[in-house]
Every structure is written in structure tokens, then in C-alpha cells.
Amino acid sequence: MKAAVIGAGIAGIASSVRLAVAGYEVDVFEANSYPGGKLSTFTDRAADGGLYRFDAGPSLFTMPELVEDLFRLAGRNPTDYFEYIRLNETCRYFWDDGTRLTAWANHDRFAQEVESVLGEPGQHLLDQLADSALKYNVTEKLFLQKSLHKLSTWIGRDALHGYLNLPKLGVFGTMNAANERRFRHPKLVQLFNRYATYNGSDPYQTPATLNIIPHLEYNIGAFFPTKGMVSITNSLVQLATELGVRFHYATRVDEVVTAGKQVVGIRATQLGTELIPYDLVVSNMDVVNAFRKLLPKAKQPERILRQPKSSSGLIFYWGIKREFPELDLHNIFFSNDYKAEFEQLFQQHRLYDDPTIYLNITSKHKSDDAPPGRENWFILLNAPNNTGQDWDAVIEQARQHVIRKLSHVLGVEVGPLIETESILDPRSIETRTSSSQGALYGNSSNNRFAAFLRHANFSSEFDNLYFVGGSVHPGGGIPLCLLSAKIATDLISE
């Protein structure tokens, strides 16, 4: 049996591993010259020859067991391929008024920090993390590990457990409203509201159910791969290759060929004009572009494809010629008006003049990612998806806003310290990853029915066509993309 996987993003690679273990002969076709999609890497060289390495995309690693499961499934020892550490600090938070707060991995220490810095009772934080764990435990087996589009999901013990706990999930209220009820201090509300951005949504619109996200970071833990985030990609590609998977880079699939209710193969111009036959096809391509470009003759699921998209990102990769001991791996510099920032982002499709800044510095834990005495800064701003903005002007304005804000909070003029710069914007995200409108997470989750408005992991029209990745169920981000591969390949095995 032969299977084709379209796209070597993390979900496509994971699907290829699972299919190879199941006995399939697997080909993976990737339009780029490298694997990983957003989970890739590059380097910039300074004028004096100093080399900076950057992870291009995802920078937070949670639920490492989902990566390890793939090695164990193949009968391998995960530590022979991939190593990581658990972080003692989850994130450092900064506000313009000089407030600084560290989110410690240890719950009691984090609670003491919240109490001493913000005057918020530490128990409120502990209650929030317990509530996040409850929400996760109710939804995990029902929503995250199974297809929402199969009747079998909605019957049985897991479904009954979900129904009985429905009032606790926060389906009918917003994340912000729930956090305002929990916390007295607006800075702590803002801190927990930011978790809506983990799937490109608005905390003032998205349901409070998404308060499950902090569970991954605080209760399960935040981790760092010792060889950088790209080592997730590299280790899984190595595993897949050992299992016989063939990767075809710089090879864009032009068409998924169908006959009746079956997919019969693919066509790729780089490989000639002939049909390449396959028994099944798994698409890791953004579902909008998969239907519009690869399946234009198929029935188009317009209700899903036309859903509003998640936010995108504007990323500055800066080589900085000094070290900042007050910064760590993960750092957040908050805007002064979070509500206004999200209104501009989702309603006006504009980048806010006082943007919240996420600053990731892998050289804090992987010293060879920057020359001695320097740091590699990965700066991510929440950005609107690409609807035709003047991105060149937006980027120049945003650059000045970021330099101004960081210089103010850190008390150092940042601009003169930048010795290398690369930029990734919604246009280039759309081009490099075939993400519709450059959205990072497919459809947005700004309504209570969003989970049901993602495409299924299987085709309702073709019996042997499946979908994985951040634009389909269960959603975006490394853990959910890996789970999408599990759901799809479980359906195949059934």
C-alpha cells in the first residue's frame, strides 16, 4: 500500500512516521527545500563573521510526550534522537510602569511572586491553574484526541464525562470575563488573557474554554530542546527516513487526482506530467489552499473555508551585540491597553502602535546560537492576517515602536545594538507555508462553535483522503498538530 503526504510540516512528518509503522510505503512532497514548515531554522552572519542561529517559527515546547510517542511507536528510544530540559522559569513579564514578574514553574513560588509583586492573593493563581487542569482533563479525550466529526466520539464514557462537566468548561462566556472574575489585579488578567494568542484568537471574544491552555505550560510544564526547536523536526525526519519514508523537497504538488469517491494519486510538475498513483493521500497543506488549488473540482466546504482566519505574526530576528541578564528564554513586554490592541488586530486589521512584544532568546540555554557576549532575539508581534495591508510601511512603523518600547523598559537604547536583522511578515508566511492569508492557526477561535468549524481530519467526499495540520481539527501549535496526525492515522487504521 502506498501513501502520499503533501507537506513536510510537523503534522505531515508525524503522519509519515505513523503510516510507515503501519506498513505503508510513504512519500512526502514538500514545496520548500527544507522540512518543518514553520518549525525550521536559519542563520545570520554579522559583519565581523559572528553567527546567529534562529528557530524560524514556534518557540515554546510543551507536551514532549507527543514527540516521544512517535519514537516509541517505532520501537526506538526517544533519547537516542532527541533531548530536552524542563524550564524552571516559564516566562518573564514586563510592563511600561516598571513592574516585572517571573512566572515560575513551581506553583507555590509563582503564587508568592504574584502576591509580592501584584498584591494578588496567591490562592487565586492556584485556583486558576486547578481550573485549567479540570478543563483539560474534561476535554482532552473528547476534543483533542478524537475526531469531532464521527458519531462514535459523542457516545461512551468520555462523552458522558464531557456532558456532565459542560457548565465548568466556560463555553458560554469569554476568556477575559472569566479571568476578570478570578483575579483582582488587571495585570494578572492580562497575563492570562494572552493565552488566547496561542491559537491566534481574541481573549475578549474567544470562549473561556481556552483557559485550558495554561495547563500545558504550568501544570504539564514548559520545556526546551537542547539543540533548539528545529531538533524536533530534524529528529522526526531522521526517524521517518530510517523507517523508509522518502522525502521529496522542492517538489510542489499541483493536483490531487480523484475518480468517483476515491483519490487515485497526485500530479507534481517537477516529477513530470504523469499521474503518480497512491492508495491514500494525507494533506498537511492549509485546508483552504488544499481545496482551492489541489482539489478545485471537489465539493468545496465553503462554510468552513470562508470562516474568519486567526491572527498572523510579524517577526524580527535580531542579532544583538550585548547580553541582558534581566531577560531569559521567554519574555513578554505588555501593551498598556490590551483591549485596544485586540480591537485593532481583529476589527480594524491593523497592528497596534503599542504592541505586546514576545521576545525569545534561545542563546540563554544554547550558547552557540549567538557569538560570545551577544544574544539572538526572536521578536514576535501579534499581527492581522494578510488582507492587502501596506506591509512595508507597517513593518517600518512596527520596528520603531518595538525599539522604543524595549529601550524604555530595559533602560538601554536597543537600536544601535542590532547588528543583523531578518524579517518574517504575513505575506512571507503565506508564501512559505501556503497558509491562507498568512494566518498562523487556520480559522480563528473567536466564537463558541469554533472547534466545530474546523475541517475534519478526513474527507466526506473521498474515502481515502485525510487532512492534518494546524488548519484542521484539533487546531494549531505543535501539540495539536501532532494530535491531528494521530487522529487521521487512527481513522486510516480503522
Side-chain angles (χ1 to χ4, degrees):
M1 298 281 283
K2 294 179 62 179
V5 177
I6 302 172
I10 194 67
I13 301 168
S15 298
S16 75
V17 168
R18 291 181 175 277
L19 290 170
V21 168
Y24 283 87
E25 184 181 339
V26 185
D27 288 296
V28 180
F29 298 93
E30 170 57 51
N32 289 311
S33 59
Y34 54 85
K38 301 179 183 75
L39 197 58
S40 55
T41 187
F42 70 94
T43 58
D44 275 342
R45 189 175 297 277
D48 66 355
L51 197 65
Y52 294 91
R53 189 200 71 86
F54 297 93
D55 287 309
S59 55
L60 175 67
F61 184 38
T62 59
M63 300 186 74
E65 67 275 11
L66 295 179
V67 177
E68 294 176 321
D69 284 348
L70 294 166
F71 294 101
R72 296 193 183 99
L73 185 67
R76 307 294 209 275
N77 181 354
T79 58
D80 291 341
Y81 296 77
F82 178 68
E83 294 183 347
Y84 58 89
I85 60 170
R86 182 175 182 138
L87 299 175
N88 291 323
E89 292 185 24
T90 300
C91 189
R92 294 185 185 182
Y93 294 96
F94 300 81
W95 284 268
D96 282 5
D97 64 4
T99 303
R100 297 184 177 187
L101 185 146
T102 298
W104 300 98
N106 179 283
H107 290 182
D108 290 334
R109 190 175 181 185
F110 188 14
Q112 290 170 5
E113 177 94 356
V114 163
E115 205 157 302
S116 63
V117 174
L118 301 179
E120 180 85 36
Q123 188 60 46
H124 292 180
L125 172 75
L126 299 177
D127 291 345
Q128 177 83 348
L129 299 182
D131 179 70
S132 184
L134 182 149
K135 285 179 167 61
Y136 181 82
N137 291 332
V138 170
T139 58
E140 177 201 12
K141 292 181 180 179
L142 183 62
F143 292 106
L144 301 183
Q145 298 205 19
K146 295 180 181 179
S147 169
L148 295 185
H149 304 80
K150 293 288 186 180
L151 178 62
S152 58
T153 300
W154 301 102
I155 57 178
R157 182 177 300 175
D158 293 335
L160 179 60
H161 183 56
Y163 301 146
L164 293 176
N165 286 279
L166 188 63
K168 300 177 182 178
L169 296 183
V171 176
F172 302 106
T174 67
M175 174 184 279
N176 175 71
N179 292 337
E180 284 188 334
R181 284 194 300 272
R182 175 82 64 190
F183 300 118
R184 299 175 184 171
H185 203 293
K187 284 184 169 61
L188 202 55
V189 174
Q190 188 177 31
L191 191 157
F192 277 93
N193 276 354
R194 88 173 183 89
Y195 287 95
T197 67
Y198 279 41
N199 72 350
S201 299
D202 177 354
Y204 302 93
Q205 296 185 64
T206 200
T209 312
L210 288 190
N211 275 327
I212 66 169
I213 296 175
H215 173 75
L216 308 184
E217 194 168 308
Y218 293 111
N219 296 327
I220 297 176
F223 303 85
F224 179 74
T226 56
K227 294 183 180 179
M229 293 293 288
V230 73
S231 64
I232 302 172
T233 295
N234 293 341
S235 62
L236 290 178
V237 168
Q238 179 185 347
L239 173 63
T241 302
E242 290 177 6
L243 294 173
V245 174
R246 296 181 294 264
F247 287 86
H248 306 271
Y249 299 115
T251 305
R252 184 182 301 277
V253 172
D254 300 304
E255 182 184 4
V256 173
V257 183
T258 62
K261 294 191 67 178
Q262 297 289 313
V263 166
V264 295
I266 66 162
R267 285 196 175 92
T269 302
Q270 287 97 330
L271 301 178
T273 59
E274 296 299 315
L275 169 72
I276 307 172
Y278 285 99
D279 297 292
L280 65 89
V281 171
V282 176
S283 174
N284 183 206
M285 192 175 186
D286 181 284
V287 71
V288 174
N289 289 325
F291 274 96
R292 302 299 195 216
K293 297 180 180 180
L294 306 185
L295 292 155
K297 299 176 183 176
K299 182 179 179 182
Q300 304 286 301
E302 295 293 346
R303 183 169 177 235
I304 292 174
L305 302 187
R306 293 183 182 276
Q307 285 298 308
K309 303 305 171 205
S310 78
S311 61
S312 185
L314 173 58
I315 305 175
F316 295 95
Y317 308 91
W318 287 345
I320 298 292
K321 52 186 179 184
R322 65 157 277 185
E323 293 179 311
F324 287 79
E326 63 267 49
L327 300 176
D328 198 59
L329 175 65
H330 300 297
N331 310 274
I332 295 286
F333 296 77
F334 275 119
S335 69
N336 290 301
D337 191 336
Y338 219 33
K339 195 172 196 313
E341 181 177 3
F342 281 95
E343 285 177 353
Q344 294 223 355
L345 184 63
F346 283 99
Q347 296 174 28
Q348 300 179 36
H349 302 286
R350 293 179 54 199
L351 196 67
Y352 192 43
D353 289 346
D354 176 31
T356 294
I357 299 167
Y358 167 67
L359 171 55
N360 175 256
I361 312 173
T362 60
S363 60
K364 294 290 186 180
H365 288 277
K366 187 174 178 293
S367 59
D368 60 349
D369 279 356
R374 304 181 229 182
E375 295 179 344
N376 62 332
W377 284 16
F378 167 108
I379 291 173
L380 170 65
L381 309 181
N382 297 315
N385 51 53
N386 184 21
T387 55
Q389 296 91 333
D390 182 354
W391 285 110
D392 292 334
V394 171
I395 290 167
E396 181 54 36
Q397 292 172 1
R399 188 179 190 275
Q400 297 308 314
H401 293 319
V402 169
I403 291 173
R404 175 195 53 76
K405 190 176 186 73
L406 293 179
S407 298
H408 167 73
V409 176
L410 297 174
V412 176
E413 284 300 322
V414 168
L417 301 176
I418 303 169
E419 64 173 353
T420 70
E421 178 179 73
S422 292
I423 297 171
L424 187 68
D425 63 59
R427 296 170 303 182
S428 45
I429 292 171
E430 186 169 13
T431 301
R432 294 181 193 180
T433 65
S434 292
S435 301
S436 178
Q437 298 177 215
L440 292 177
Y441 307 97
N443 292 348
S444 79
S445 297
N446 287 339
N447 68 70
R448 70 189 65 160
F449 304 110
F452 304 95
L453 296 173
R454 287 186 175 273
H455 198 280
N457 302 102
F458 61 93
S459 168
S460 59
E461 186 175 0
F462 305 107
D463 296 334
N464 55 344
L465 175 62
Y466 299 85
F467 300 93
V468 298
S471 67
V472 299
H473 178 71
I478 296 171
L480 298 189
C481 285
L482 292 171
L483 286 171
S484 75
K486 181 180 186 299
I487 293 169
T489 50
D490 283 350
L491 292 171
I492 291 168
S493 66
E494 291 173 8

